[in-house]
Amino acid sequence: MSVRKATVIVYRAGWVAFFALVLLDLFAGLPFDRFWVWSPALLSLAILVGASVRSRRMQRDNPREAVEVGVPVRGRWSALNSPADRTPSHGTHGYGQTYAIDLVAEPAQGARPGFKVLWPVVRRNRDFPAFGEPLLAVADATVVHAEDRQRDHLSRNSLLAVLYLLIVEASLRDIGGVRRIFGNHVVLDLGDGVFAAYAHLRRGSLAVRPGDRVRAGQQIARCGNSGNSSEPHLHFQLMDGPDADTAAGVPFRWRGLEVPGNGETFTAPDNTVPDGRPTP
């Protein structure tokens, strides 16, 4: 086990210990001063800050050139949390997300339900055009991780639901690790130390399994709403290792298409390759 992986485990264990001590204090009382309840939380926060500082330093001192890959979707989509506007794009270097991008399907203006303050609190996944859309391999690659057993939950695109996501759900999922944050996901080995991660996949939609060789443009899964997700969308990123717990983000550019900024729509050509065979 690497030092970085061990540090991540200690980080999560610190939060588990903190919440356990809080519950113990509420229901049974503590045999020691309450000050010590905060010690595991402070340890976890110190690890988080240290990891963030280290990642910023690495990004500054060892900048990487963007890796050119294909577009992981087809048709008309919009970008959210794009690295074209800022890095880290999701506000954190954790989970290899420095250059990650979120994509939501917008087949026509107004086709995707917008954010509501009060009602409806949640929506069904089939109300969103991204749900069930095919996701494509961005390069010839080997599948190193694939899972799709987690359920697709309801949307979190109202004020109450977003608050629940940010304050409660996201914290618990962070303790659960990559699997609970990414939900159903696939990781592809593109070669040369570069790996592509696709997160929030639809339950039961995998078309590949670990060890498979895939061709650029081959369908590997379908878009879903599993994991730490507010609505059906694809979270896509490149990283320098197969484990998002220890990997650093890698910048990317799309072949034949500019990486869009936040809120920008784009239309990706249909480059689907059936079953990994080249199109005639």
Side-chain angles (χ1 to χ4, degrees):
M1 181 186 297
S2 68
V3 173
R4 187 174 296 181
K5 186 69 173 181
T7 302
V8 171
I9 292 173
V10 172
Y11 163 80
R12 294 195 180 111
W15 285 119
V16 171
F18 168 70
F19 289 122
L21 289 172
V22 169
L23 292 174
L24 180 64
D25 187 26
L26 286 175
F27 295 105
L30 294 171
F32 46 80
D33 192 283
R34 278 199 181 121
F35 166 79
W36 296 105
V37 170
W38 293 96
S39 57
L42 292 173
L43 173 62
S44 293
L45 286 173
I47 291 173
L48 182 64
V49 171
S52 180
V53 170
R54 182 176 64 251
S55 295
R56 286 200 300 269
R57 187 181 300 120
M58 287 177 58
Q59 184 185 11
R60 182 195 65 210
D61 297 341
N62 301 289
R64 294 192 59 156
E65 288 193 13
V67 175
E68 184 176 81
V69 294
V71 185
V73 294
R74 65 187 185 189
R76 189 175 186 268
W77 293 67
S78 291
L80 301 174
N81 300 316
S82 172
D85 291 295
R86 67 165 185 171
T87 54
S89 58
H90 285 59
T92 176
H93 296 281
Y95 299 107
Q97 295 181 101
T98 303
Y99 305 98
I101 191 169
D102 291 331
L103 303 176
V104 292
E106 298 259 14
Q109 193 70 31
R112 169 176 159 250
F115 179 86
K116 298 295 183 182
V117 176
L118 295 177
W119 193 263
V121 176
V122 296
R123 290 182 183 271
R124 297 168 299 181
N125 288 314
R126 63 175 177 265
D127 292 341
F128 296 85
F131 190 66
E133 281 295 295
L135 305 176
L136 312 176
V138 295
D140 295 349
T142 301
V143 180
V144 295
H145 182 86
E147 66 169 283
D148 67 348
R149 294 184 179 181
Q150 298 182 59
R151 69 182 181 88
D152 296 280
H153 56 70
L154 297 171
S155 75
R156 311 283 194 252
N157 62 334
S158 69
L159 180 60
L160 288 175
V162 165
L163 289 175
Y164 165 74
L165 174 67
L166 294 176
I167 298 172
V168 179
E169 186 175 1
S171 299
L172 295 176
R173 289 187 179 278
D174 187 38
I175 294 173
V178 175
R179 186 170 179 272
R180 294 303 180 188
I181 291 290
F182 280 11
N184 300 320
H185 62 286
V186 169
V187 178
L188 304 180
D189 182 354
L190 309 187
D192 297 324
V194 178
F195 297 78
Y198 300 67
H200 313 311
L201 310 181
R202 183 174 180 175
R203 185 178 189 177
S205 71
L206 282 178
V208 296
R209 58 185 180 182
D212 284 354
R213 285 288 300 171
V214 296
R215 296 289 305 274
Q218 181 179 339
Q219 181 178 324
I220 58 174
R222 291 186 179 273
C223 186
N225 194 34
S226 57
N228 196 55
S229 171
S230 59
E231 66 177 88
H233 74 284
L234 169 65
H235 173 102
F236 174 82
Q237 66 186 47
L238 296 187
M239 49 192 186
D240 65 0
D243 183 358
D245 261 343
T246 58
V250 173
F252 67 89
R253 61 179 183 271
W254 284 338
R255 191 173 298 111
L257 196 67
E258 289 289 331
V259 175
N262 288 333
E264 292 183 7
T265 60
F266 65 95
T267 300
D270 187 353
N271 293 323
T272 307
V273 177
D275 300 324
R277 294 188 296 272
T279 52

